[in-house]
Structures are given as C-alpha cells and as structure tokens.
C-alpha cells in the first residue's frame, strides 16, 4: 500500500516537472544551437474583438465589435529574429534533431519540410541582423518556419489567428492600445514612424504589454493565419465566435497585425488590420516571383504560438499549408 502511494506521488511529481501543458512560461531550445524562443503563457478567455466607431482612427474593417472566446496558448515574447530565422533558411542544423524529439506533439521528418530559397539580395537591407526581427518573408515562409521548428522540437508551433493575436495584444485591456488611448505614450512601448529613425530596431527594447509581450505595437507588423476579409466581423460572415479563423482560399490578401516602424500611431492600435498585397513583390526581379520573399515589405515579420491543446495530425497539416 505504501509503495503504491509512493509510486503515485512520484508520478505526480514527475508530471509536474516534465509536462509543459500548464500555465507557465518556458524557453524553447533549438537543437544544435544556443538559440531559444521565449514563450509566454496566454490564458484563455473572452474579449471584445474590434474597435468601436467612437475610437479615434477607427476604420470600417474593425467592426462591428463582437465577443470572441479564445482557448489558452503560448505566444513568443518577441518577434522571430534573424538569428533564429536564418537557421531555418540555412538548414545546416537539421541533422542535430534528436532521434526522439523532446516534445511529444509532432512527429514528422524534418527533411520533408520545404525550405525557403536564399533571397537574391540582403533582406535586412543593412538595418541589422543579430537581435533584429526577421522581415520580408511571405506568409508561406512563416508557415514553413513553424513546421520546421515543430519538426526539430517535437512541439507544435504555428502562426496566431487574427483573434488570438488581438486577444494577446490587448492583454485584458479595452483601450485603443494595450497601455491606454493616448498615443503620446507610444514612445515607451513601440517603434513607429515618430521614433524609429527610418529603421527597425532590436526586439524587446520597449516596455511590454500587461502580459509580458514586447513589440506588439510597432517595430514590424506580424503575419496571422487568416485570409483578410474587410467585412468578416459581420455576423452573417463570422461563422463562429469560438476560436475563429478565416481559412485562406487565395494568396492575397492575408491579415497582418500590429503596425510597424514605418507607420503612424493609428496603424499601431490593437484593433488595426492590414491586408497583404501582391505589390509587396513589385521590385522582385525573379521570374516567376519568389514564393518565399516580399522584396517590398521590410515592415513585415512574425511571431509564433503553441496551443495548449495540441491539434490532430490532420489539423496540424492545415495550419502549416
């Protein structure tokens, strides 16, 4: 009897130390490197998505406001930097993947993950690499990065939905920005047209939002999973208010969030939405134009999420494609 109780106690203790599916932050190591992705736990809950017509600089695609239910997930504390993204581009560490991945959520061959082609020019445009956000990738590139990281670690990673992104950005607030309504405070929290000096900046230098996420306002805009539909908040088109996601049916436009170092304060509001455009490849000299790079989008990057409840293998594939 005593031995059984002891075994149960040890099992509980073991699970408590090894199971990451609890509400705490963690660091995701990348095999074969010293690089880590700092993941912040985002509790599930309800929030009001969009902005009221009374909000200064409100735009039509931000309404009508509606209540949305979000399941718990983790989100990267910072935008993915070149230091990490270049590992995916180079693919030199694929062989460092453990025979048995430490995470138990994903089991795929890393060699089967498509890799981004090398860009024809320096996509940082001389603005900085070490510690700076990776930019100019297409949504496809960001999706395949998530698949690659999942294969390397065994944990399931993907891009956030628009709803998850706004929920995390607001961090329980209902104001235009996560810090209030007055853009005068942007200098404390964000890099934007007024203080960026014409370039992006290293991640994490500004004050985080209430949930500890840096650069949700400004620095670089961020890819989400959703097709951009300006009228999607309309009740007739919003099919569900529980973890909503607009599955893309065409390449453009896709939904981008957060505003960037090139933007005015109005673009950095929590509810602000931006559609991607084929014009983001206007100066790409390649024929056909690259599937992996947006030559004219030095203002776009991304951050990743990991849902608390791991989707099925079939569902995982839909998130990466």
């Amino acid at each position: 009897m005593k031995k059984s109780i002891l075994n149960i106690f040890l099992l509980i203790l073991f699970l408590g130390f090894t199971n990451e599916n609890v509400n705490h932050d963690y660091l995701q190591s990348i095999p074969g490197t010293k690089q880590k992705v700092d993941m912040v736990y985002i509790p599930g809950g309800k929030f009001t998505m969009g902005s009221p017509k009374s909000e200064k600089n409100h735009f039509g695609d931000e309404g009508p406001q509606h209540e949305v239910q979000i399941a718990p997930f983790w989100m990267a504390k910072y935008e993915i930097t070149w230091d990490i993204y270049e590992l995916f581009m180079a693919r030199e560490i694929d062989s460092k993947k453990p025979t048995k991945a430490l995470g138990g959520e994903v089991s795929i061959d890393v060699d089967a993950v498509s890799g981004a082609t090398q860009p024809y020019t320096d996509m940082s445009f001389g603005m900085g690499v070490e510690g700076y956000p990776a930019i100019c990738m297409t949504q496809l590139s960001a999706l395949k990065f998530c698949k690659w990281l999942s294969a390397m670690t065994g944990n399931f990673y993907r891009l956030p939905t628009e709803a998850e992104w706004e929920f995390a950005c607001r961090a329980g607030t209902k104001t235009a920005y996560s810090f209030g309504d007055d853009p005068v405070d942007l200098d404390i929290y964000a890099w934007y047209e007024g203080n960026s000096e014409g370039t992006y900046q290293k991640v994490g230098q500004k004050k985080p939002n209430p949930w500890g996420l840096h650069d949700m306002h400004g620095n670089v805009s961020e890819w989400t999973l959703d097709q951009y539909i300006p009228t999607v908040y309309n009740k007739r088109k919003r099919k569900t208010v529980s973890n909503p996601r607009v599955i893309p049916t065409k390449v453009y436009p896709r939904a981008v969030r957060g505003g960037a170092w090139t933007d005015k304060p109005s673009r950095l509001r929590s509810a602000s939405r931006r559609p991607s455009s084929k014009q983001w490849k206007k100066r790409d000299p390649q024929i056909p134009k690259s599937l992996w790079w947006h030559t004219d989008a030095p203002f776009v990057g991304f951050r990743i999420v990991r849902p608390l409840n791991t989707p099925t293998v079939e569902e995982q594939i839909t998130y990466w494609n």
Side-chain angles (χ1 to χ4, degrees):
M1 181 68 177
K2 289 183 178 179
K3 187 175 181 181
S4 297
I5 294 174
L6 177 62
N7 288 340
I8 292 172
F9 173 77
L10 290 174
L11 177 62
I12 293 172
L13 188 64
F14 173 77
L15 291 174
F17 279 104
T18 62
N19 186 9
E20 288 182 332
N21 290 332
V22 292
N23 58 344
H24 62 72
D25 305 346
Y26 70 95
L27 288 172
Q28 176 62 70
S29 299
I30 301 178
T33 77
K34 294 181 179 180
Q35 296 293 336
K36 292 179 172 60
V37 183
D38 201 329
M39 301 298 294
V40 176
Y41 181 74
I42 307 298
K46 291 182 179 179
F47 83 108
T48 301
M49 190 171 184
S51 67
K53 291 182 178 179
S54 59
E55 184 172 296
K56 187 177 180 181
N57 296 309
H58 163 88
F59 198 69
D61 66 351
E62 299 166 18
Q65 286 186 291
H66 55 294
E67 192 173 79
V68 169
Q69 178 73 44
I70 299 295
F73 60 97
W74 288 273
M75 176 175 265
K77 188 173 188 175
Y78 310 107
E79 294 151 342
I80 294 298
T81 62
W82 282 116
D83 315 59
I84 295 173
Y85 193 70
E86 285 183 337
L87 297 173
F88 163 65
M89 289 169 55
R91 302 296 292 271
E92 294 175 354
I93 65 166
D94 286 12
S95 62
K96 302 295 183 181
K97 175 187 175 181
T99 304
K100 182 175 176 56
L102 298 179
E105 301 171 354
V106 173
S107 180
I108 56 176
D109 187 350
V110 70
D111 291 335
V113 181
S114 301
T117 58
Q118 290 293 325
Y120 79 96
T121 189
D122 172 21
M123 286 299 177
S124 74
F125 296 102
M127 294 188 292
V129 174
E130 188 175 350
Y132 290 88
I135 56 170
C136 292
M137 75 291 293
T138 61
Q139 191 209 48
L140 174 66
S141 296
L143 293 173
K144 295 307 179 184
F145 170 89
C146 293
K147 185 177 182 179
W148 171 81
L149 184 63
S150 300
M152 289 293 290
T153 64
N155 290 327
F156 174 71
Y157 291 102
R158 60 169 171 81
L159 295 179
T161 63
E162 265 204 277
E164 287 170 336
W165 193 97
E166 186 173 326
F167 180 65
C169 179
R170 289 188 177 281
T173 66
K174 297 181 180 180
T175 47
Y177 307 92
S178 63
F179 52 82
D181 288 310
D182 195 343
V184 73
D185 292 326
L186 271 176
D187 282 349
I188 303 173
Y189 294 87
W191 297 107
Y192 66 107
E193 182 190 63
N195 67 359
S196 68
E197 298 183 348
T199 181
Y200 60 28
Q201 303 291 330
K202 287 188 175 183
V203 302
Q205 295 188 85
K206 294 295 186 178
K207 191 174 180 179
N209 76 358
W211 285 349
L213 300 169
H214 290 262
D215 302 312
M216 293 297 283
H217 305 292
N219 208 18
V220 295
S221 298
E222 300 173 13
W223 285 111
T224 70
L225 282 171
D226 298 45
Q227 186 87 58
Y228 170 83
I229 299 176
T231 57
V232 74
Y233 294 178
N234 186 296
K235 288 183 179 179
R236 288 173 296 176
K237 295 188 177 181
R238 182 64 102 188
K239 302 299 183 183
T240 177
V241 291
S242 179
N243 302 305
R245 170 188 169 207
V246 184
I247 298 175
T249 57
K250 54 186 178 180
V251 176
Y252 297 103
R254 304 289 173 93
V256 177
R257 289 300 201 110
W261 56 275
T262 55
D263 286 324
K264 298 181 184 300
S266 60
R267 278 286 190 181
L268 275 63
R269 293 175 301 109
S270 299
S272 181
R273 308 172 67 207
R274 169 180 280 167
S276 66
S277 167
K278 64 178 62 177
Q279 293 301 309
W280 293 0
K281 292 185 183 180
K282 187 176 181 180
R283 290 180 293 176
D284 184 347
Q286 302 172 101
I287 301 175
K289 293 185 182 297
S290 174
L291 294 174
W292 305 99
W293 300 100
H294 277 133
T295 314
D296 297 83
F299 47 80
V300 172
F302 70 103
R303 73 179 74 212
I304 59 174
V305 301
R306 176 187 171 199
L308 179 64
N309 298 315
T310 307
T312 64
V313 173
E314 292 74 17
E315 290 171 334
Q316 289 177 17
I317 294 171
T318 69
Y319 285 115
W320 294 326
N321 294 324

